[in-house]
Amino acid sequence: MKRAEAERLLAEIGGEVEVRLRGHAGLLRRLLGNEPNQDHPAWKLAAAETLAEGLLERCAGLLHPEVSAPTRALLEEAVTEGPEALARLAADFDERLRAADAPGDRLQALRARRRCLELRAACLDHLANIFDARRSRP
Amino acid sequence: LTDQDDASLAAQIGAALVRAAEHRKALVKSRLEALQARQAAVVGALMPEPSKLDELRLSVEQLAAQAERQRAEIADHERQLAQLRDRQEDLSRQAEQADGALRERCASLIPGLPVLSRQGEAQWISWIEGRLVEAGLAFEPAADWREELDFRELDEKALALLAPLCGTIADLEVASSDLAVARASLPAAIQREQEALDRLTADLSLRASQAGSRYGRILEDLPQPPAEDSPERLEQIEGILTYVEATLGRFAVSALLEEQMLEALQS
């Protein structure tokens, strides 16, 4: 179990004392039974942990103060899940940004369409002038 | 009538009176008996018999004894209940203390957990290794990983993965940014633009119908904006129309000049 997950589980425990007792006892069992990762040498795990801790610390500084808590949590979650999760999150936010910019694209298209119609109107004006000039000729 | 007849009538009347008196006496007697019987019934109903009174007295005594026993039982139950309440409060205090201790124990263990998930550990290890290999370095144990990562600029490279994402997030979520302010004004701007476009379309349609076939196929051949909002196609159509408008403009100027010259020649 990772730290953020345990913190979330601890924060979620509430209600009547019996419910809390059961929740805390269950979490304690899980925490005590949490085995360290044996798939990698400890020094490699330490390297990855240090890198991630540094990223999480600097994350707060990188984000604008107005960014919401759920989004901060999403970003922190992605950091703890690795570079691929970060890339997925980036793609997700890019998609959201495209969706948010869609009205802007629509406005640009409407403006271009209006310019086309204005040009057609100007063409009509010119045609009227040309034909009027020819018609007035004796 | 004779005296004999009178005597007989008087005897008859006397006999009748005697019979009436006897009848009355009998009637009074029977009524009195009925009254007495009714009185006895009423008294019997109101006043139970002595044997029943004893039964009632016994029953009342039994009830009183039962009530006393129940009062004693209730008092006993109340004592037990008070004890149970005290016990419950004591247990609740103990449970709260135990819960607090469990929570503290959990909280004390959490900082010892890794920040990364198993998947995160594997991926970041692979990422660090990849960056070191790219730099021609080996991934080896280090005494202080914070210093090592800083020295190898790996923390900056990892941060570079985050920075664009943080920028995108800010573009999306920071309501006070210029982008957000501009985005908020878009619906109104779109509506205004659409209204202007609708007016222009109606005006052009009217003018085209008024012109009829006066300009031959020229109007029909003028390119129309596409139905879809493809920016490339719109730009292409706008380019063609710009060129045609400029050409027609030159023709119009030329026609005007020609007209002015003819007028000058004729005058």
Side-chain angles (χ1 to χ4, degrees), chain B:
Chain B
L1 290 171
T2 63
D3 290 341
Q4 197 175 358
D5 291 337
D6 286 342
S8 176
L9 186 60
Q12 284 175 14
I13 291 168
L17 283 171
V18 169
R19 278 199 302 277
E22 283 173 354
H23 180 68
R24 186 179 173 190
K25 192 177 172 185
L27 194 65
V28 166
K29 189 183 173 189
S30 73
R31 280 190 179 175
L32 190 63
E33 282 171 358
L35 198 62
Q36 283 171 344
R38 193 170 175 188
Q39 188 181 13
V42 169
V43 169
L46 290 174
M47 296 288 290
E49 293 170 19
S51 63
K52 284 187 180 174
L53 273 176
D54 290 341
E55 278 176 26
L56 279 171
R57 196 175 297 117
L58 190 63
S59 171
V60 166
E61 283 169 3
Q62 283 173 346
L63 280 172
Q66 193 180 356
E68 186 58 35
R69 276 198 305 278
Q70 285 179 344
R71 268 197 293 276
E73 279 176 19
I74 288 168
D76 190 38
H77 286 154
E78 280 175 350
R79 269 195 304 279
Q80 287 180 17
L81 192 62
Q83 285 172 353
L84 285 171
R85 279 202 194 102
D86 291 344
R87 179 80 183 129
Q88 187 187 17
E89 282 174 15
D90 191 35
L91 284 171
S92 293
R93 271 195 301 276
Q94 285 180 26
E96 287 287 353
Q97 284 170 356
D99 182 57
L102 274 174
R103 189 174 185 85
E104 276 180 26
R105 179 77 178 119
C106 289
S108 71
L109 288 172
I110 287 174
L113 291 174
V115 162
L116 295 170
S117 68
R118 292 291 161 98
Q119 175 190 291
E121 285 170 340
Q123 286 190 10
W124 281 120
I125 286 171
S126 171
W127 184 87
I128 293 170
E129 201 155 17
R131 299 295 83 72
L132 288 171
V133 167
E134 277 174 10
L137 299 164
F139 191 13
E140 292 171 332
D144 185 335
W145 273 111
R146 200 168 276 267
E147 275 185 15
E148 185 69 15
L149 293 168
D150 183 40
F151 179 67
R152 304 286 178 203
E153 294 182 344
L154 286 173
D155 50 355
E156 290 302 321
K157 286 178 181 168
L159 205 60
L161 297 174
L162 275 181
L165 177 53
C166 290
T168 308
I169 288 171
D171 284 347
L172 273 168
E173 289 205 359
V174 179
S176 61
S177 72
D178 293 344
L179 198 62
V181 171
R183 216 177 265 143
S185 68
L186 280 176
I190 287 172
Q191 192 182 346
R192 281 195 302 275
E193 195 65 39
Q194 185 67 58
E195 285 167 2
L197 195 64
D198 291 344
R199 282 195 299 273
L200 202 53
T201 306
D203 181 49
L204 270 175
S205 174
L206 181 67
R207 288 181 66 183
S209 68
Q210 285 172 346
S213 60
R214 186 182 183 203
Y215 308 132
R217 287 189 51 82
I218 299 174
L219 264 185
E220 291 170 32
D221 290 344
L222 280 178
Q224 286 274 12
E228 76 281 2
D229 284 343
S230 158
E232 295 80 14
R233 183 77 184 125
L234 278 168
E235 194 180 343
Q236 190 184 12
I237 297 293
E238 191 181 345
I240 296 169
L241 282 169
T242 304
Y243 174 77
V244 173
E245 189 271 335
T247 307
L248 287 173
R250 282 195 298 277
F251 286 169
V253 171
S254 170
L256 185 64
L257 280 173
E258 194 179 355
E259 188 184 1
Q260 286 169 346
M261 282 189 289
L262 283 170
E263 279 175 8
L265 285 170
Q266 286 167 359
S267 61

Side-chain angles (χ1 to χ4, degrees), chain A residues 5-53:
Chain A
E5 185 188 355
E7 283 169 349
R8 181 179 55 77
L9 288 172
L10 185 63
E12 281 174 0
I13 294 172
E16 295 291 323
V17 68
E18 292 85 358
V19 179
R20 280 184 276 136
L21 268 171
R22 274 197 294 275
H24 285 131
L27 178 60
L28 187 59
R29 268 197 301 276
R30 287 186 65 185
L31 290 171
L32 292 172
N34 197 51
E35 294 286 334
N37 191 346
Q38 304 286 339
D39 299 337
H40 306 278
W43 59 269
K44 282 190 175 181
L45 291 170
E49 276 288 303
T50 308
L51 182 72
E53 280 177 353

